[in-house]
Amino acid sequence: MTLKMRNILNISLLALLMLIQTVPAAAQRISASAQVIDCGQVLFRKPVTVHFELLNEGAGTVNIKSVDTSCGCTEVAYPKGIISENKPFVVSATYDAKQMGHFEKYIDIYTNGASLPFTLTMRGVVVEEIHDFEGEYQYTIGKIRADRQEVMFEDVNKGENPVEEIHILNTTSDIISPVIMHLPEYIRADVSPSTIPPGRSGVVYLTLDSKRMGDYGLHQSTVYLGLKGGDKVSSDKEIDVSAILIPSFGVVTDQQLLYSPKLKISDTVLDLGSFEGKKKKKGTVVIENLGRTDLEISSIQMFTAGITVDLSSTVIPPGESAKLKVTAEKKTLRGVKKNPAILMITNDPRNPKVVVDIIIK
């Protein structure tokens, strides 16, 4: 065998050995039913323990080489031996709760199957006394009682991240791990605590990421409150979520206001009266521009079905007006739960959002 052939063979063998060594690491993977567990309210100096349920999903055994925590206030218990393929296992973390206020602790798990750690998070808030929600749980969502079943994010400017809360009560006889299903990409949901015993309460936090929203105006979606991950979607679990994204004009000077469009509307409440046997009722709203530059209506949307509109012009020059013709249809409105209304987005810095409420019997 020549020297050249021997070198080629050695290189090939080295490459093969490297491939054999990396295949198990790439094939091994662990997952968690929940990587983040929220403990909710925790009593001061009363250690709290959470149990993370994990699974070896890889094609090979796994062993935990080491575990690191973000501080010495957290102790971790984990399996010390080999974890077989498709075998579930538990990692438990205990926080000493010796400091008041919110906490968020990280547990990094290092295994033989990955170069980077698998990170778990436990969080909550340490309090002197646990306080439950004192309001009323007026609504039933699935098998959970709640203080509301509709959420509205009003007058949101691009870049803002407002948060709305839904207080819930576990009226079942089981421990539940509530989840929000079918979330749009611009909303994040967190539940505190992550698990709620029978008769105890919790909070659903809905956070709006306005940067992920598209056009200005009304954004509507329906999400669902489940008892646990994998729960089925059904109409009795619905929560209606709406958000209104409006233009942000920043700081507007008096000089800028002087030369801006200025909207005047004849009615913000349009009373169409009663159908009185008719299939449709019609009304008109007049929009005037009292400013010095063109008034632009960039968006017109209806909060509900059953209402149609026709605007004579979406660009209104200074000193002129446009008519907004409104038609209500009895057949469609019959199945609508919310009060009908019309939303308009404008370039008037004083009135970027205009809502016209419709009264119809």
Side-chain angles (χ1 to χ4, degrees):
M1 181 180 296
T2 65
L3 179 60
K4 182 177 180 181
M5 292 179 64
R6 188 178 293 112
N7 288 338
I8 293 173
L9 179 61
N10 288 338
I11 293 172
S12 299
L13 288 172
L14 180 60
L16 180 60
L17 285 172
M18 291 177 65
L19 180 62
I20 292 172
Q21 289 175 352
T22 57
V23 167
Q28 293 170 352
R29 191 173 75 89
I30 59 175
S31 64
S33 58
Q35 279 189 248
V36 179
I37 293 181
D38 193 310
C39 305
Q41 298 179 80
V42 177
L43 285 174
F44 182 52
R45 294 186 182 277
K46 296 288 184 181
V48 59
T49 300
V50 296
H51 304 286
F52 294 94
E53 299 177 354
L54 295 95
L55 177 68
N56 174 15
E57 291 187 334
T61 60
V62 166
N63 69 285
I64 298 176
K65 297 189 295 183
S66 64
V67 171
D68 288 342
T69 60
S70 53
C71 76
C73 54
T74 308
E75 295 183 357
V76 182
Y78 60 91
K80 300 300 192 295
I82 293 175
I83 302 167
S84 305
E85 295 179 32
N86 298 316
K87 182 179 180 180
F89 60 100
V90 174
V91 172
S92 300
T94 301
Y95 173 59
D96 62 18
K98 291 182 179 179
Q99 185 172 339
M100 295 287 291
H102 289 272
F103 65 90
E104 186 162 287
K105 304 302 173 183
Y106 303 98
I107 302 100
D108 288 334
I109 301 173
Y110 292 87
T111 72
N112 65 313
S115 58
L116 297 176
F118 185 80
T119 301
L120 304 171
T121 305
M122 66 180 299
R123 65 187 181 201
V125 56
V126 178
V127 296
E128 289 186 356
E129 183 180 355
I130 293 178
H131 296 281
D132 286 333
F133 176 63
E134 296 181 355
E136 296 184 5
Y137 301 96
Q138 302 180 50
Y139 304 95
T140 300
I141 305 176
K143 295 183 179 179
I144 300 174
R145 297 289 295 174
D147 69 326
R148 60 198 295 199
Q149 59 183 8
E150 294 182 9
V151 173
M152 168 64 85
F153 294 92
E154 290 219 52
D155 299 350
V156 181
N157 291 307
K158 205 80 163 180
E160 293 180 339
N161 301 105
V163 179
E164 290 287 337
E165 299 178 2
I166 304 175
H167 294 270
I168 58 176
L169 177 67
N170 179 9
T171 55
T172 74
S173 58
D174 301 314
I175 297 175
I176 62 174
S177 301
V179 292
I180 302 295
M181 303 175 288
H182 285 211
L183 282 166
E185 64 175 4
Y186 54 84
I187 294 180
R188 187 185 80 244
D190 299 287
V191 181
S192 177
S194 297
T195 58
I196 305 176
R200 294 298 300 272
S201 61
V203 184
V204 176
Y205 297 96
L206 297 178
T207 303
L208 183 73
D209 185 353
S210 60
K211 290 182 180 178
R212 290 180 171 268
M213 300 174 73
D215 297 332
Y216 293 117
L218 179 65
H219 296 252
Q220 294 177 307
S221 60
T222 300
V223 301
Y224 300 84
L225 176 61
L227 294 176
K228 59 182 180 180
D231 205 351
K232 293 182 179 180
V233 168
S234 58
S235 59
D236 63 316
K237 301 172 186 174
E238 290 181 357
I239 299 173
D240 293 327
V241 181
S242 302
I244 299 176
L245 186 66
I246 62 174
S248 176
F249 294 94
V251 178
V252 181
T253 65
D254 291 341
Q255 185 71 9
Q256 288 172 323
L257 282 176
L258 184 63
Y259 288 95
S260 67
K262 186 177 181 180
L263 179 145
K264 180 183 178 182
I265 188 165
S266 60
D267 296 286
T268 55
V269 178
L270 182 61
D271 191 345
L272 297 179
S274 173
F275 280 106
E276 297 177 343
K278 297 181 179 179
K279 294 181 179 180
K280 296 181 180 180
K281 288 285 288 186
K282 297 184 178 182
T284 301
V285 173
V286 178
I287 301 170
E288 297 180 74
N289 180 10
L290 304 182
R292 296 189 177 185
T293 53
D294 288 350
L295 174 66
E296 298 176 7
I297 312 297
S298 58
S299 175
I300 302 179
Q301 296 170 285
M302 273 54 69
F303 283 88
T304 67
I307 299 292
T308 57
V309 298
D310 179 26
L311 182 62
S312 59
S313 178
T314 57
V315 179
I316 306 172
E320 297 191 17
S321 63
K323 291 183 179 180
L324 178 69
K325 296 180 180 179
V326 181
T327 302
E329 186 177 332
K330 182 178 181 179
K331 182 180 179 181
T332 307
L333 280 173
R334 189 177 297 164
V336 172
K337 298 178 182 178
K338 301 177 183 178
N339 294 326
I342 301 165
L343 170 69
M344 290 183 286
I345 301 297
T346 84
N347 66 333
D348 179 356
R350 306 171 194 81
N351 296 287
K353 180 195 79 170
V354 178
V355 176
V356 179
D357 293 305
I358 309 298
I359 298 176
I360 183 73
K361 300 176 183 179

